[in-house]
Amino acid sequence: MSRKVLLLILGFFLILGDQFLKFWVVGHIAIGESLTFWPGIMDLTYLQNRGAAFSILQGQFWFFFLTTFLTMGIAGYYFFKSRSSQWERQVGLALMMAGGIGNFIDRATQGFVIDMFQLTFIDFAVFNLADTYLTVGVAILILDLLREDDDGI
């Protein structure tokens, strides 16, 4: 089985994990309520984000719907176009797509994204598992591009 197929399968399970966690949060935590998850580190706080990262551009549903759709299409194109030697790029793109699709599902079905992870040791935006996939995927892509640039390619 090729690496791309394995990454697509992994991405599918990451999306399922994201959606399952969001489903659990909605069923067990009231909106705005917090439960201690990791004392002194993180709480689970159920929020409905109708914007983007850090809740910017609140209420711009169609903008986010269309840009996510377009971005996932572009990421998918580069994922399938990538060479087998570009495994870091493939991993980064697969994580990015899993995160984007996880949040896309929320927007398409509910009109907002469910967020739940609240860091308690710093003042930071509440985020979700899909956001984590996106962030790690983008970080991997940046490192891959920097490495590629260092190689003179």
Side-chain angles (χ1 to χ4, degrees), residues 6 30 35 41-42 65-67 70 73 76 79 86-87 104-105 110 147:
L6 289 173
L35 298 177
I41 304 292
M42 182 184 300
F65 191 84
L66 293 173
T67 56
L70 180 63
F79 177 81
Q86 297 173 308
W87 66 271
F104 185 83
I105 291 169
Q110 301 172 77
R147 181 191 56 81

Side-chain angles (χ1 to χ4, degrees), residues 7-8 15 18 22 30 32 36-37 44 48 70-71 93-94 101 104 107-108 110 124 126 135:
L7 286 171
L8 290 174
I15 294 166
D18 171 68
K22 290 172 178 174
T36 300
F37 179 68
L44 292 178
Q48 296 175 349
L70 180 63
T71 304
L93 288 165
I101 291 169
F104 185 83
R107 284 191 203 288
Q110 301 172 77
F124 192 75
V126 178
T135 302

Side-chain angles (χ1 to χ4, degrees), residues 38 47-50 52 54 58 62 66 70-72 74 81 83-85 90-91 95 103 109 125 132 144-145:
W38 190 354
L47 295 180
Q48 296 175 349
N49 184 353
R50 297 176 195 285
F54 306 104
Q58 287 288 317
W62 286 108
L66 293 173
L70 180 63
T71 304
M72 292 304 100
I74 293 168
K81 184 181 173 196
R83 296 184 307 271
S84 61
S85 62
Q90 293 170 358
V91 170
L95 286 170
N103 284 339
T109 60
T132 304
D144 178 57
L145 290 171

Side-chain angles (χ1 to χ4, degrees), residues 11-132:
F12 174 77
F13 282 106
L14 291 174
I15 294 166
L16 283 180
D18 171 68
Q19 292 298 301
F20 175 79
L21 179 58
K22 290 172 178 174
F23 179 79
W24 185 91
V25 166
V26 169
H28 291 86
I29 304 173
I31 294 175
E33 182 184 6
S34 293
L35 298 177
T36 300
F37 179 68
W38 190 354
I41 304 292
M42 182 184 300
D43 288 346
L44 292 178
T45 302
Y46 173 26
L47 295 180
Q48 296 175 349
N49 184 353
R50 297 176 195 285
F54 306 104
S55 297
I56 61 171
L57 299 172
Q58 287 288 317
Q60 301 298 314
F61 174 81
W62 286 108
F63 172 75
F64 294 119
F65 191 84
L66 293 173
T67 56
T68 301
F69 187 78
L70 180 63
T71 304
M72 292 304 100
I74 293 168
Y77 170 79
Y78 282 107
F79 177 81
F80 287 107
K81 184 181 173 196
S82 64
R83 296 184 307 271
S84 61
S85 62
Q86 297 173 308
W87 66 271
E88 299 98 336
R89 185 167 300 167
Q90 293 170 358
V91 170
L93 288 165
L95 286 170
M96 221 177 91
M97 289 187 297
I101 291 169
N103 284 339
F104 185 83
I105 291 169
D106 288 5
R107 284 191 203 288
T109 60
Q110 301 172 77
F112 55 84
V113 173
I114 297 166
D115 288 330
M116 78 284 299
F117 295 121
Q118 182 174 20
L119 301 177
T120 56
F121 65 96
I122 59 170
D123 185 23
F124 192 75
V126 178
F127 59 97
N128 62 43
L129 205 49
D131 296 335
T132 304

